[in-house]
Amino acid sequence: MKPKLSAYVSDSVAQRLELAARRPGTNKSAIVDAALDRFLNPERDASGDAALIRRLDRMSRQLDRADRDLAIMAETIALFVRYYLTITPPLPTGDQDAARALGRERFEMFVAQVGKRVASGVRLVADVMEQVSTSNPDLFMRHLEEGAPLGANKGQTTTESRPHDAAGQQPEPSPAGREEVGNV
């Protein structure tokens, strides 16, 4: 015979227990027994732990992907800035006001495009990575020299791959670019 137990519960718990006990195949004693067993032996409820572990694993994979995407974006921006500073010539003083106005206009268009992409949920990084991996799947497996253009041979240097001007000379980088090349 099972021991009898008397307990006081709040009105709301008593109402919920009454509703749960109305289901076929159950009664108040069975519900209270299962609830106390779960409370007193939490290690027996492995299904909750397994669900939590699956959720943590999924969150960990999502965080890894976000970290990878952030590293790709940081490297992309760094390479673009280095390239931009290397090839952009300084402007004459008289042209700087017009260049600033054009720059503000272009920046506003850029911000609008970023807003549209974010609102649409389409990720440019994912699109680019998919295009690159389908067109050149071993690109990320090769050892490319720092600054070497894509498709350059391993022994080819960046100075050999630069275009020449009409006189056969390589174009000079801007003053900012010369400083950057020295610091790379």
Side-chain angles (χ1 to χ4, degrees):
M1 184 158 137
K2 295 181 181 179
K4 183 176 180 176
L5 177 68
S6 296
Y8 294 100
V9 295
S10 67
D11 289 334
S12 65
V13 171
Q15 289 173 354
R16 288 185 287 168
L17 180 60
E18 186 70 38
L19 286 173
R22 288 183 188 164
R23 284 187 253 153
T26 187
N27 59 40
K28 290 180 184 178
S29 293
I31 294 170
V32 171
D33 186 55
L36 284 172
D37 186 47
R38 181 177 284 168
F39 179 77
L40 297 173
N41 296 316
E43 63 274 355
R44 290 184 62 186
D45 184 25
S47 64
D49 292 343
L52 181 63
I53 289 170
R54 284 191 306 271
R55 182 173 288 167
L56 287 173
D57 286 343
R58 186 177 66 241
M59 290 170 62
S60 177
R61 286 189 304 272
Q62 289 171 340
L63 187 58
D64 288 344
R65 279 193 303 270
D67 187 42
R68 176 183 166 269
D69 288 352
L70 183 61
I72 290 168
M73 285 189 289
E75 189 65 22
T76 302
I77 290 170
L79 288 170
F80 173 77
V81 168
R82 183 173 72 182
Y83 174 77
Y84 178 80
L85 291 174
T86 301
I87 66 162
T88 304
L91 289 175
T93 307
D95 294 341
Q96 289 182 1
D97 289 336
R100 282 190 196 102
L102 181 61
R104 278 191 294 275
E105 182 181 326
R106 287 179 176 173
F107 183 73
E108 288 172 7
M109 289 187 325
F110 170 75
V111 169
Q113 288 296 316
V114 169
K116 286 178 186 177
R117 296 233 14 136
V118 169
S120 72
V122 178
R123 293 178 27 197
L124 182 61
V125 171
D127 291 348
V128 170
M129 294 302 291
E130 183 177 328
Q131 288 174 358
V132 167
S133 65
T134 56
S135 66
N136 199 354
D138 65 334
L139 178 66
F140 299 112
M141 300 300 172
R142 293 182 291 162
H143 174 69
L144 293 177
E145 293 181 21
E146 178 95 14
L150 294 178
N153 295 334
K154 192 171 184 176
Q156 185 179 11
T157 64
T158 57
T159 56
E160 293 170 349
S161 64
R162 283 194 181 158
H164 297 280
D165 66 9
Q169 300 295 320
Q170 293 176 358
E172 286 292 316
S174 68
R178 276 186 241 124
E179 291 174 14
E180 180 65 27
V181 169
N183 293 330
V184 175

Short mmCIF file of all heavy atoms in Angstrom, two decimals, residues 20-88:
data_model
loop_
_atom_site.label_atom_id
_atom_site.label_comp_id
_atom_site.label_asym_id
_atom_site.label_seq_id
_atom_site.Cartn_x
_atom_site.Cartn_y
_atom_site.Cartn_z
N ALA A 20 -6.42 18.96 -15.08
CA ALA A 20 -5.53 17.92 -15.60
C ALA A 20 -6.05 16.53 -15.23
O ALA A 20 -5.91 15.57 -16.00
CB ALA A 20 -4.12 18.12 -15.08
N ALA A 21 -6.65 16.39 -14.05
CA ALA A 21 -7.13 15.09 -13.59
C ALA A 21 -8.38 14.65 -14.34
O ALA A 21 -8.74 13.47 -14.31
CB ALA A 21 -7.41 15.15 -12.09
N ARG A 22 -9.05 15.55 -15.04
CA ARG A 22 -10.26 15.20 -15.80
C ARG A 22 -9.92 14.45 -17.10
O ARG A 22 -10.80 13.84 -17.69
CB ARG A 22 -11.05 16.46 -16.15
CG ARG A 22 -11.73 17.07 -14.95
CD ARG A 22 -12.55 18.26 -15.37
NE ARG A 22 -13.06 18.95 -14.19
CZ ARG A 22 -13.54 20.17 -14.19
NH1 ARG A 22 -13.61 20.85 -15.32
NH2 ARG A 22 -13.95 20.72 -13.08
N ARG A 23 -8.67 14.52 -17.52
CA ARG A 23 -8.29 13.80 -18.74
C ARG A 23 -8.42 12.31 -18.51
O ARG A 23 -8.14 11.81 -17.41
CB ARG A 23 -6.85 14.14 -19.14
CG ARG A 23 -6.74 15.51 -19.77
CD ARG A 23 -5.36 15.76 -20.30
NE ARG A 23 -4.73 16.71 -19.39
CZ ARG A 23 -3.45 16.83 -19.17
NH1 ARG A 23 -2.61 16.05 -19.80
NH2 ARG A 23 -2.98 17.72 -18.34
N PRO A 24 -8.80 11.56 -19.53
CA PRO A 24 -8.95 10.11 -19.36
C PRO A 24 -7.61 9.43 -19.04
O PRO A 24 -6.57 9.81 -19.55
CB PRO A 24 -9.48 9.63 -20.72
CG PRO A 24 -9.86 10.85 -21.49
CD PRO A 24 -9.20 12.02 -20.84
N GLY A 25 -7.64 8.47 -18.15
CA GLY A 25 -6.47 7.67 -17.82
C GLY A 25 -5.56 8.30 -16.79
O GLY A 25 -4.45 7.82 -16.57
N THR A 26 -5.98 9.34 -16.13
CA THR A 26 -5.14 9.98 -15.11
C THR A 26 -5.99 10.39 -13.92
O THR A 26 -7.20 10.45 -13.99
CB THR A 26 -4.38 11.18 -15.70
OG1 THR A 26 -3.45 11.67 -14.74
CG2 THR A 26 -5.32 12.29 -16.08
N ASN A 27 -5.31 10.63 -12.82
CA ASN A 27 -5.98 11.12 -11.61
C ASN A 27 -5.04 12.04 -10.87
O ASN A 27 -3.86 12.16 -11.22
CB ASN A 27 -6.47 9.95 -10.75
CG ASN A 27 -5.35 9.04 -10.32
OD1 ASN A 27 -4.26 9.49 -10.00
ND2 ASN A 27 -5.61 7.73 -10.33
N LYS A 28 -5.54 12.68 -9.82
CA LYS A 28 -4.74 13.66 -9.07
C LYS A 28 -3.51 13.00 -8.45
O LYS A 28 -2.42 13.56 -8.47
CB LYS A 28 -5.58 14.31 -7.97
CG LYS A 28 -6.64 15.25 -8.48
CD LYS A 28 -7.41 15.85 -7.31
CE LYS A 28 -8.54 16.73 -7.80
NZ LYS A 28 -9.31 17.27 -6.66
N SER A 29 -3.67 11.82 -7.90
CA SER A 29 -2.55 11.14 -7.24
C SER A 29 -1.42 10.86 -8.24
O SER A 29 -0.24 11.06 -7.93
CB SER A 29 -3.01 9.84 -6.61
OG SER A 29 -3.88 10.10 -5.54
N ALA A 30 -1.75 10.41 -9.44
CA ALA A 30 -0.73 10.10 -10.44
C ALA A 30 -0.02 11.37 -10.90
O ALA A 30 1.21 11.36 -11.08
CB ALA A 30 -1.38 9.40 -11.63
N ILE A 31 -0.76 12.45 -11.07
CA ILE A 31 -0.15 13.72 -11.49
C ILE A 31 0.79 14.25 -10.42
O ILE A 31 1.93 14.64 -10.72
CB ILE A 31 -1.25 14.75 -11.82
CG1 ILE A 31 -2.04 14.29 -13.04
CG2 ILE A 31 -0.64 16.13 -12.06
CD1 ILE A 31 -3.29 15.11 -13.30
N VAL A 32 0.34 14.25 -9.16
CA VAL A 32 1.18 14.75 -8.06
C VAL A 32 2.40 13.85 -7.89
O VAL A 32 3.51 14.34 -7.67
CB VAL A 32 0.36 14.87 -6.75
CG1 VAL A 32 1.25 15.17 -5.56
CG2 VAL A 32 -0.72 15.94 -6.89
N ASP A 33 2.22 12.52 -8.00
CA ASP A 33 3.33 11.59 -7.88
C ASP A 33 4.40 11.85 -8.96
O ASP A 33 5.60 11.91 -8.66
CB ASP A 33 2.82 10.15 -7.97
CG ASP A 33 3.92 9.13 -7.70
OD1 ASP A 33 4.56 9.23 -6.63
OD2 ASP A 33 4.14 8.27 -8.58
N ALA A 34 3.95 12.05 -10.22
CA ALA A 34 4.90 12.31 -11.31
C ALA A 34 5.60 13.65 -11.13
O ALA A 34 6.81 13.78 -11.36
CB ALA A 34 4.16 12.29 -12.66
N ALA A 35 4.87 14.67 -10.68
CA ALA A 35 5.47 16.00 -10.47
C ALA A 35 6.50 15.96 -9.35
O ALA A 35 7.59 16.53 -9.48
CB ALA A 35 4.38 17.02 -10.17
N LEU A 36 6.18 15.29 -8.25
CA LEU A 36 7.15 15.19 -7.15
C LEU A 36 8.36 14.37 -7.54
O LEU A 36 9.49 14.69 -7.15
CB LEU A 36 6.47 14.60 -5.90
CG LEU A 36 5.55 15.55 -5.14
CD1 LEU A 36 4.79 14.80 -4.04
CD2 LEU A 36 6.35 16.71 -4.55
N ASP A 37 8.14 13.30 -8.30
CA ASP A 37 9.27 12.47 -8.75
C ASP A 37 10.21 13.28 -9.64
O ASP A 37 11.43 13.21 -9.48
CB ASP A 37 8.73 11.25 -9.50
CG ASP A 37 9.85 10.29 -9.86
OD1 ASP A 37 10.68 9.99 -8.97
OD2 ASP A 37 9.90 9.84 -11.02
N ARG A 38 9.65 14.05 -10.55
CA ARG A 38 10.47 14.88 -11.43
C ARG A 38 11.21 15.95 -10.63
O ARG A 38 12.37 16.23 -10.87
CB ARG A 38 9.61 15.55 -12.50
CG ARG A 38 10.44 16.40 -13.45
CD ARG A 38 9.62 17.00 -14.53
NE ARG A 38 9.32 15.97 -15.51
CZ ARG A 38 8.43 16.10 -16.47
NH1 ARG A 38 7.73 17.20 -16.58
NH2 ARG A 38 8.22 15.13 -17.32
N PHE A 39 10.53 16.55 -9.65
CA PHE A 39 11.15 17.59 -8.83
C PHE A 39 12.28 17.03 -7.96
O PHE A 39 13.34 17.64 -7.83
CB PHE A 39 10.09 18.25 -7.94
CG PHE A 39 10.64 19.32 -7.05
CD1 PHE A 39 10.94 20.58 -7.56
CD2 PHE A 39 10.87 19.09 -5.70
CE1 PHE A 39 11.44 21.59 -6.74
CE2 PHE A 39 11.39 20.08 -4.88
CZ PHE A 39 11.67 21.34 -5.41
N LEU A 40 12.07 15.85 -7.39
CA LEU A 40 13.05 15.27 -6.48
C LEU A 40 14.17 14.53 -7.20
O LEU A 40 15.24 14.31 -6.63
CB LEU A 40 12.34 14.32 -5.49
CG LEU A 40 11.33 15.01 -4.57
CD1 LEU A 40 10.57 13.97 -3.75
CD2 LEU A 40 12.03 16.01 -3.65
N ASN A 41 13.97 14.13 -8.47
CA ASN A 41 14.97 13.42 -9.26
C ASN A 41 15.14 14.10 -10.61
O ASN A 41 14.74 13.55 -11.64
CB ASN A 41 14.57 11.96 -9.47
CG ASN A 41 14.49 11.18 -8.19
OD1 ASN A 41 15.37 11.30 -7.35
ND2 ASN A 41 13.43 10.41 -8.02
N PRO A 42 15.73 15.26 -10.66
CA PRO A 42 15.82 15.97 -11.94
C PRO A 42 16.68 15.24 -12.97
O PRO A 42 16.50 15.43 -14.17
CB PRO A 42 16.44 17.33 -11.57
CG PRO A 42 17.10 17.12 -10.25
CD PRO A 42 16.35 15.99 -9.58
N GLU A 43 17.62 14.38 -12.56
CA GLU A 43 18.46 13.67 -13.51
C GLU A 43 17.66 12.63 -14.30
O GLU A 43 18.08 12.21 -15.37
CB GLU A 43 19.66 13.01 -12.84
CG GLU A 43 19.34 11.95 -11.82
CD GLU A 43 19.08 12.49 -10.42
OE1 GLU A 43 19.25 13.70 -10.21
OE2 GLU A 43 18.71 11.71 -9.56
N ARG A 44 16.49 12.23 -13.82
CA ARG A 44 15.66 11.28 -14.55
C ARG A 44 14.99 11.92 -15.76
O ARG A 44 14.57 11.24 -16.67
CB ARG A 44 14.60 10.68 -13.64
CG ARG A 44 15.22 9.74 -12.60
CD ARG A 44 14.19 9.09 -11.77
NE ARG A 44 13.32 8.26 -12.62
CZ ARG A 44 12.25 7.65 -12.15
NH1 ARG A 44 11.92 7.77 -10.88
NH2 ARG A 44 11.52 6.92 -12.95
N ASP A 45 14.90 13.25 -15.77
CA ASP A 45 14.28 13.95 -16.89
C ASP A 45 15.36 14.32 -17.90
O ASP A 45 15.75 15.47 -18.04
CB ASP A 45 13.55 15.20 -16.39
CG ASP A 45 12.80 15.91 -17.50
OD1 ASP A 45 12.44 15.24 -18.49
OD2 ASP A 45 12.59 17.13 -17.39
N ALA A 46 15.85 13.33 -18.62
CA ALA A 46 16.93 13.54 -19.59
C ALA A 46 16.43 14.18 -20.87
O ALA A 46 17.21 14.77 -21.62
CB ALA A 46 17.62 12.21 -19.91
N SER A 47 15.13 14.09 -21.16
CA SER A 47 14.61 14.66 -22.41
C SER A 47 14.79 16.18 -22.42
O SER A 47 15.09 16.76 -23.46
CB SER A 47 13.15 14.29 -22.60
OG SER A 47 12.36 14.86 -21.57
N GLY A 48 14.60 16.83 -21.29
CA GLY A 48 14.81 18.28 -21.22
C GLY A 48 16.27 18.64 -21.42
O GLY A 48 16.58 19.62 -22.09
N ASP A 49 17.16 17.84 -20.84
CA ASP A 49 18.59 18.09 -21.01
C ASP A 49 19.01 17.88 -22.46
O ASP A 49 19.81 18.65 -23.00
CB ASP A 49 19.41 17.18 -20.10
CG ASP A 49 19.25 17.52 -18.63
OD1 ASP A 49 18.77 18.64 -18.33
OD2 ASP A 49 19.60 16.67 -17.78
N ALA A 50 18.48 16.86 -23.10
CA ALA A 50 18.85 16.59 -24.49
C ALA A 50 18.39 17.73 -25.39
O ALA A 50 19.12 18.16 -26.28
CB ALA A 50 18.24 15.27 -24.95
N ALA A 51 17.20 18.25 -25.13
CA ALA A 51 16.71 19.38 -25.93
C ALA A 51 17.57 20.61 -25.71
O ALA A 51 17.89 21.34 -26.66
CB ALA A 51 15.25 19.68 -25.58
N LEU A 52 17.98 20.83 -24.47
CA LEU A 52 18.84 21.97 -24.17
C LEU A 52 20.20 21.82 -24.84
O LEU A 52 20.73 22.78 -25.41
CB LEU A 52 19.01 22.11 -22.65
CG LEU A 52 19.87 23.26 -22.17
CD1 LEU A 52 19.25 24.60 -22.56
CD2 LEU A 52 20.05 23.19 -20.66
N ILE A 53 20.75 20.63 -24.84
CA ILE A 53 22.05 20.39 -25.48
C ILE A 53 21.94 20.60 -26.99
O ILE A 53 22.82 21.21 -27.61
CB ILE A 53 22.56 18.96 -25.14
CG1 ILE A 53 22.99 18.92 -23.67
CG2 ILE A 53 23.72 18.56 -26.05
CD1 ILE A 53 23.29 17.54 -23.15
N ARG A 54 20.85 20.11 -27.61
CA ARG A 54 20.66 20.33 -29.05
C ARG A 54 20.57 21.82 -29.36
O ARG A 54 21.16 22.31 -30.33
CB ARG A 54 19.40 19.61 -29.54
CG ARG A 54 19.57 18.11 -29.71
CD ARG A 54 18.40 17.51 -30.46
NE ARG A 54 17.11 17.83 -29.87
CZ ARG A 54 16.48 17.12 -28.93
NH1 ARG A 54 17.05 16.03 -28.45
NH2 ARG A 54 15.30 17.48 -28.48
N ARG A 55 19.84 22.55 -28.54
CA ARG A 55 19.70 23.99 -28.76
C ARG A 55 21.05 24.70 -28.59
O ARG A 55 21.39 25.58 -29.38
CB ARG A 55 18.67 24.57 -27.79
CG ARG A 55 18.45 26.06 -28.00
CD ARG A 55 17.34 26.60 -27.17
NE ARG A 55 16.09 26.12 -27.73
CZ ARG A 55 14.93 26.19 -27.10
NH1 ARG A 55 14.87 26.71 -25.90
NH2 ARG A 55 13.84 25.75 -27.67
N LEU A 56 21.81 24.33 -27.59
CA LEU A 56 23.13 24.94 -27.39
C LEU A 56 24.07 24.61 -28.55
O LEU A 56 24.85 25.47 -28.99
CB LEU A 56 23.74 24.48 -26.06
CG LEU A 56 23.12 25.07 -24.81
CD1 LEU A 56 23.70 24.41 -23.56
CD2 LEU A 56 23.34 26.57 -24.75
N ASP A 57 24.01 23.38 -29.06
CA ASP A 57 24.83 23.01 -30.22
C ASP A 57 24.46 23.85 -31.43
O ASP A 57 25.32 24.32 -32.17
CB ASP A 57 24.67 21.52 -30.54
CG ASP A 57 25.39 20.62 -29.56
OD1 ASP A 57 26.27 21.13 -28.83
OD2 ASP A 57 25.07 19.41 -29.54
N ARG A 58 23.16 24.03 -31.67
CA ARG A 58 22.71 24.83 -32.80
C ARG A 58 23.17 26.28 -32.65
O ARG A 58 23.66 26.90 -33.59
CB ARG A 58 21.18 24.76 -32.94
CG ARG A 58 20.68 25.45 -34.19
CD ARG A 58 19.18 25.34 -34.38
NE ARG A 58 18.46 26.05 -33.35
CZ ARG A 58 17.61 25.49 -32.48
NH1 ARG A 58 17.36 24.21 -32.52
NH2 ARG A 58 17.01 26.22 -31.57
N MET A 59 23.06 26.82 -31.44
CA MET A 59 23.51 28.19 -31.20
C MET A 59 25.02 28.31 -31.38
O MET A 59 25.50 29.32 -31.90
CB MET A 59 23.10 28.64 -29.79
CG MET A 59 21.60 28.83 -29.65
SD MET A 59 21.06 29.09 -27.94
CE MET A 59 21.89 30.58 -27.52
N SER A 60 25.75 27.30 -30.99
CA SER A 60 27.20 27.31 -31.16
C SER A 60 27.57 27.32 -32.64
O SER A 60 28.46 28.06 -33.07
CB SER A 60 27.81 26.09 -30.47
OG SER A 60 29.19 26.04 -30.68
N ARG A 61 26.87 26.51 -33.46
CA ARG A 61 27.13 26.50 -34.90
C ARG A 61 26.78 27.85 -35.52
O ARG A 61 27.50 28.36 -36.38
CB ARG A 61 26.34 25.38 -35.58
CG ARG A 61 26.90 23.99 -35.32
CD ARG A 61 26.23 22.93 -36.19
NE ARG A 61 24.79 22.91 -36.05
CZ ARG A 61 24.12 22.19 -35.14
NH1 ARG A 61 24.78 21.44 -34.29
NH2 ARG A 61 22.80 22.22 -35.11
N GLN A 62 25.67 28.46 -35.08
CA GLN A 62 25.30 29.77 -35.60
C GLN A 62 26.35 30.82 -35.24
O GLN A 62 26.70 31.67 -36.05
CB GLN A 62 23.93 30.19 -35.05
CG GLN A 62 22.78 29.41 -35.61
CD GLN A 62 21.47 29.70 -34.89
OE1 GLN A 62 21.46 30.19 -33.77
NE2 GLN A 62 20.37 29.39 -35.54
N LEU A 63 26.86 30.76 -34.03
CA LEU A 63 27.89 31.70 -33.60
C LEU A 63 29.18 31.49 -34.39
O LEU A 63 29.84 32.46 -34.77
CB LEU A 63 28.15 31.54 -32.10
CG LEU A 63 29.07 32.56 -31.45
CD1 LEU A 63 28.53 33.97 -31.65
CD2 LEU A 63 29.23 32.26 -29.98
N ASP A 64 29.52 30.23 -34.68
CA ASP A 64 30.70 29.95 -35.50
C ASP A 64 30.55 30.54 -36.90
O ASP A 64 31.49 31.11 -37.45
CB ASP A 64 30.96 28.45 -35.59
CG ASP A 64 31.50 27.86 -34.30
OD1 ASP A 64 31.96 28.64 -33.43
OD2 ASP A 64 31.44 26.62 -34.15
N ARG A 65 29.36 30.38 -37.50
CA ARG A 65 29.12 30.96 -38.83
C ARG A 65 29.19 32.48 -38.78
O ARG A 65 29.76 33.10 -39.68
CB ARG A 65 27.76 30.51 -39.37
CG ARG A 65 27.76 29.14 -39.97
CD ARG A 65 26.50 28.86 -40.77
NE ARG A 65 25.28 29.01 -40.02
CZ ARG A 65 24.68 28.05 -39.33
NH1 ARG A 65 25.21 26.84 -39.29
NH2 ARG A 65 23.55 28.27 -38.69
N ALA A 66 28.63 33.09 -37.76
CA ALA A 66 28.67 34.55 -37.63
C ALA A 66 30.12 35.02 -37.47
O ALA A 66 30.52 36.02 -38.06
CB ALA A 66 27.82 35.01 -36.46
N ASP A 67 30.90 34.28 -36.70
CA ASP A 67 32.31 34.63 -36.50
C ASP A 67 33.07 34.51 -37.81
O ASP A 67 33.88 35.38 -38.17
CB ASP A 67 32.91 33.70 -35.44
CG ASP A 67 34.32 34.10 -35.05
OD1 ASP A 67 34.57 35.31 -34.90
OD2 ASP A 67 35.17 33.20 -34.90
N ARG A 68 32.80 33.47 -38.59
CA ARG A 68 33.45 33.28 -39.89
C ARG A 68 33.06 34.41 -40.84
O ARG A 68 33.93 34.99 -41.50
CB ARG A 68 33.03 31.93 -40.48
CG ARG A 68 33.57 31.66 -41.86
CD ARG A 68 33.04 30.32 -42.38
NE ARG A 68 33.26 30.21 -43.78
CZ ARG A 68 32.41 30.60 -44.73
NH1 ARG A 68 31.26 31.11 -44.40
NH2 ARG A 68 32.69 30.47 -46.00
N ASP A 69 31.77 34.74 -40.90
CA ASP A 69 31.32 35.82 -41.77
C ASP A 69 31.95 37.16 -41.37
O ASP A 69 32.35 37.94 -42.23
CB ASP A 69 29.80 35.95 -41.75
CG ASP A 69 29.10 34.81 -42.47
OD1 ASP A 69 29.79 34.00 -43.12
OD2 ASP A 69 27.86 34.74 -42.36
N LEU A 70 32.06 37.40 -40.08
CA LEU A 70 32.67 38.65 -39.60
C LEU A 70 34.15 38.71 -39.98
O LEU A 70 34.64 39.76 -40.40
CB LEU A 70 32.50 38.78 -38.09
CG LEU A 70 33.01 40.06 -37.46
CD1 LEU A 70 32.27 41.26 -38.03
CD2 LEU A 70 32.84 40.00 -35.96
N ALA A 71 34.85 37.59 -39.88
CA ALA A 71 36.26 37.56 -40.27
C ALA A 71 36.41 37.81 -41.76
O ALA A 71 37.32 38.54 -42.19
CB ALA A 71 36.88 36.21 -39.89
N ILE A 72 35.52 37.24 -42.57
CA ILE A 72 35.57 37.47 -44.02
C ILE A 72 35.33 38.93 -44.33
O ILE A 72 36.03 39.54 -45.14
CB ILE A 72 34.55 36.57 -44.75
CG1 ILE A 72 34.99 35.11 -44.68
CG2 ILE A 72 34.36 37.01 -46.19
CD1 ILE A 72 33.92 34.13 -45.13
N MET A 73 34.33 39.52 -43.68
CA MET A 73 34.03 40.93 -43.94
C MET A 73 35.17 41.84 -43.49
O MET A 73 35.53 42.79 -44.20
CB MET A 73 32.73 41.34 -43.24
CG MET A 73 31.51 40.81 -43.95
SD MET A 73 29.97 41.47 -43.33
CE MET A 73 29.87 40.68 -41.74
N ALA A 74 35.76 41.57 -42.35
CA ALA A 74 36.87 42.39 -41.87
C ALA A 74 38.05 42.32 -42.83
O ALA A 74 38.67 43.34 -43.15
CB ALA A 74 37.29 41.95 -40.46
N GLU A 75 38.37 41.11 -43.30
CA GLU A 75 39.48 40.95 -44.24
C GLU A 75 39.17 41.65 -45.56
O GLU A 75 40.03 42.30 -46.15
CB GLU A 75 39.75 39.46 -44.47
CG GLU A 75 41.00 39.19 -45.26
CD GLU A 75 42.28 39.61 -44.56
OE1 GLU A 75 42.27 39.75 -43.32
OE2 GLU A 75 43.28 39.83 -45.26
N THR A 76 37.92 41.53 -46.02
CA THR A 76 37.51 42.18 -47.27
C THR A 76 37.65 43.69 -47.16
O THR A 76 38.19 44.35 -48.06
CB THR A 76 36.06 41.80 -47.62
OG1 THR A 76 35.98 40.38 -47.73
CG2 THR A 76 35.61 42.45 -48.90
N ILE A 77 37.17 44.25 -46.08
CA ILE A 77 37.25 45.70 -45.90
C ILE A 77 38.70 46.15 -45.80
O ILE A 77 39.09 47.16 -46.39
CB ILE A 77 36.44 46.14 -44.66
CG1 ILE A 77 34.95 45.97 -44.95
CG2 ILE A 77 36.75 47.58 -44.27
CD1 ILE A 77 34.06 46.14 -43.74
N ALA A 78 39.51 45.40 -45.07
CA ALA A 78 40.93 45.76 -44.94
C ALA A 78 41.64 45.74 -46.30
O ALA A 78 42.41 46.65 -46.62
CB ALA A 78 41.62 44.82 -43.96
N LEU A 79 41.38 44.71 -47.10
CA LEU A 79 42.00 44.63 -48.42
C LEU A 79 41.51 45.76 -49.32
O LEU A 79 42.29 46.34 -50.08
CB LEU A 79 41.72 43.28 -49.07
CG LEU A 79 42.47 42.10 -48.48
CD1 LEU A 79 41.94 40.79 -49.04
CD2 LEU A 79 43.97 42.23 -48.71
N PHE A 80 40.21 46.07 -49.26
CA PHE A 80 39.68 47.15 -50.08
C PHE A 80 40.30 48.49 -49.68
O PHE A 80 40.70 49.27 -50.55
CB PHE A 80 38.16 47.24 -49.95
CG PHE A 80 37.60 48.44 -50.65
CD1 PHE A 80 37.47 48.45 -52.03
CD2 PHE A 80 37.23 49.57 -49.93
CE1 PHE A 80 36.98 49.57 -52.68
CE2 PHE A 80 36.72 50.68 -50.58
CZ PHE A 80 36.61 50.69 -51.96
N VAL A 81 40.41 48.77 -48.41
CA VAL A 81 40.99 50.04 -47.96
C VAL A 81 42.44 50.14 -48.40
O VAL A 81 42.88 51.18 -48.89
CB VAL A 81 40.84 50.19 -46.42
CG1 VAL A 81 41.68 51.34 -45.90
CG2 VAL A 81 39.38 50.39 -46.05
N ARG A 82 43.20 49.05 -48.25
CA ARG A 82 44.59 49.08 -48.68
C ARG A 82 44.67 49.34 -50.19
O ARG A 82 45.47 50.16 -50.65
CB ARG A 82 45.29 47.78 -48.33
CG ARG A 82 46.77 47.82 -48.72
CD ARG A 82 47.53 46.63 -48.26
NE ARG A 82 47.14 45.49 -49.07
CZ ARG A 82 47.60 44.27 -48.89
NH1 ARG A 82 48.43 44.03 -47.91
NH2 ARG A 82 47.22 43.30 -49.67
N TYR A 83 43.85 48.67 -50.98
CA TYR A 83 43.83 48.87 -52.43
C TYR A 83 43.43 50.31 -52.76
O TYR A 83 44.08 50.97 -53.57
CB TYR A 83 42.85 47.88 -53.06
CG TYR A 83 42.64 48.08 -54.53
CD1 TYR A 83 43.60 47.66 -55.45
CD2 TYR A 83 41.50 48.71 -55.01
CE1 TYR A 83 43.42 47.84 -56.81
CE2 TYR A 83 41.30 48.90 -56.37
CZ TYR A 83 42.26 48.47 -57.27
OH TYR A 83 42.08 48.66 -58.60
N TYR A 84 42.39 50.80 -52.13
CA TYR A 84 41.90 52.16 -52.40
C TYR A 84 42.97 53.20 -52.08
O TYR A 84 43.22 54.11 -52.86
CB TYR A 84 40.63 52.43 -51.57
CG TYR A 84 40.09 53.81 -51.75
CD1 TYR A 84 39.33 54.13 -52.87
CD2 TYR A 84 40.34 54.81 -50.82
CE1 TYR A 84 38.83 55.40 -53.05
CE2 TYR A 84 39.85 56.09 -50.99
CZ TYR A 84 39.09 56.38 -52.11
OH TYR A 84 38.60 57.65 -52.28
N LEU A 85 43.63 53.05 -50.94
CA LEU A 85 44.66 54.01 -50.57
C LEU A 85 45.88 53.92 -51.49
O LEU A 85 46.58 54.91 -51.70
CB LEU A 85 45.09 53.80 -49.11
CG LEU A 85 44.05 54.15 -48.06
CD1 LEU A 85 44.55 53.76 -46.68
CD2 LEU A 85 43.66 55.61 -48.12
N THR A 86 46.12 52.76 -52.04
CA THR A 86 47.27 52.58 -52.93
C THR A 86 47.04 53.21 -54.29
O THR A 86 47.96 53.80 -54.86
CB THR A 86 47.57 51.08 -53.10
OG1 THR A 86 47.82 50.52 -51.82
CG2 THR A 86 48.78 50.86 -53.97
N ILE A 87 45.84 53.13 -54.83
CA ILE A 87 45.63 53.60 -56.20
C ILE A 87 45.01 54.98 -56.32
O ILE A 87 44.99 55.55 -57.40
CB ILE A 87 44.74 52.61 -56.98
CG1 ILE A 87 43.33 52.58 -56.42
CG2 ILE A 87 45.35 51.24 -57.03
CD1 ILE A 87 42.32 52.00 -57.38
N THR A 88 44.48 55.54 -55.24
CA THR A 88 43.79 56.83 -55.33
C THR A 88 44.79 57.98 -55.29
O THR A 88 45.50 58.15 -54.30
CB THR A 88 42.78 57.00 -54.18
OG1 THR A 88 41.89 55.90 -54.22
CG2 THR A 88 42.01 58.29 -54.30
#
